[in-house]
Amino acid sequence: MKYNHIDVIGLGPGHPDYILPAGLKKIKEADVLIAGERNLEGISTSGKEVLIIRNNLKELIEYINKNYQDKKIGVLVSGDPGYHSMLSYIKKNTQGIEIRVTPGISSFTYFFSKLSLVWQDAVLSSVHGEDTDFIKLVEENKKVFFLTDQKITPNYMANELMKKGITHKRFFIGERLSYADEKISCLSVDEAAQYPADSLCVVVIADE
């Protein structure tokens, strides 16, 4: 059977309970799953070819371009594919291949729900591998959500805000979202400056 597309499937915040039924159906139908090792936790890969995402994006794209017509390929991404995922890279490097996207629950929708806060008035951003002026965003907005990374951590952000005299904010830090050891903290800027958060977490910085 010949195919003309690949599927990019959102897995939600992490725990398999939060994968949408439509995503589970696509995963079940796939011949090949391309995913990060952590994203495969709790997912049945029996009878499927599995390719792990590491520092090998070029090789994975070559595989997709070569095999998409003969194998049903599913690329699994954390959260929602439309928010800071591999979707842009895949679309840019697979010209001529139809990309079908199955949405997932994003980290920000999950986190705001855990905080019982609306996000319709929030700015959504990321410092994860990006050159983002987070200080300006925090100064100019009452509620900002960030994806963080191992360099731009919540305590780094808090210390930089303190240098600018911005101390009237609250830090909401989410670690291991949706897992059994999930941890959510509400801290002052001073407290956040000392807090050793998980290397990959999310944070909302909001007015007091």
Side-chain angles (χ1 to χ4, degrees), residues 12-180:
H15 194 282
D17 284 355
Y18 288 91
I19 304 176
L20 299 179
L24 290 172
K25 184 173 184 290
K26 293 289 187 181
I27 291 169
K28 184 177 180 180
E29 293 171 348
D31 301 315
V32 181
L33 295 178
I34 299 176
E37 198 161 10
R38 177 181 172 185
N39 288 340
L40 291 171
E41 294 177 8
I43 291 176
S44 175
T45 59
S46 177
K48 301 181 186 300
E49 184 178 351
V50 176
L51 303 178
I52 302 298
I53 300 170
R54 296 189 176 94
N55 294 321
N56 58 344
L57 293 183
K58 183 179 178 181
E59 290 81 2
L60 293 176
I61 291 296
E62 289 175 354
Y63 178 93
I64 291 171
N65 285 323
K66 182 179 178 181
N67 293 282
Y68 79 95
Q69 290 183 313
D70 300 310
K71 300 178 181 181
K72 199 162 191 179
I73 298 174
V75 182
L76 311 184
V77 300
S78 298
D80 184 86
Y83 190 69
H84 295 281
S85 79
M86 282 182 60
L87 179 59
S88 296
Y89 183 85
I90 292 171
K91 292 186 71 172
K92 181 179 178 181
N93 291 281
T94 57
Q95 291 89 350
I97 302 176
E98 180 186 354
I99 310 295
R100 297 183 183 177
V101 177
T102 302
I105 298 171
S106 70
S107 56
F108 66 83
T109 54
Y110 178 89
F111 192 42
F112 277 109
S113 73
K114 296 295 288 188
L115 298 175
S116 297
L117 293 174
V118 300
W119 55 271
Q120 64 200 26
D121 58 347
V123 171
L124 307 177
S125 187
S126 175
V127 292
H128 182 72
E130 300 187 28
D131 186 18
T132 302
D133 189 346
F134 66 86
I135 294 175
K136 184 177 180 181
L137 285 175
V138 172
E139 280 184 312
E140 295 181 352
N141 298 280
K142 67 178 183 178
K143 189 189 299 178
V144 190
F145 170 89
F146 294 100
L147 298 175
T148 68
D149 63 15
Q150 296 179 350
K151 180 180 177 182
I152 311 298
T153 60
N155 56 21
Y156 174 86
M157 298 172 79
N159 276 286
E160 292 301 303
L161 291 175
M162 289 176 67
K163 291 177 185 178
K164 296 290 185 178
I166 302 171
T167 59
H168 60 287
K169 300 283 184 173
R170 298 295 293 178
F171 271 66
F172 300 93
I173 300 171
E175 303 166 82
R176 298 283 297 171
L177 294 181
S178 79
Y179 291 101

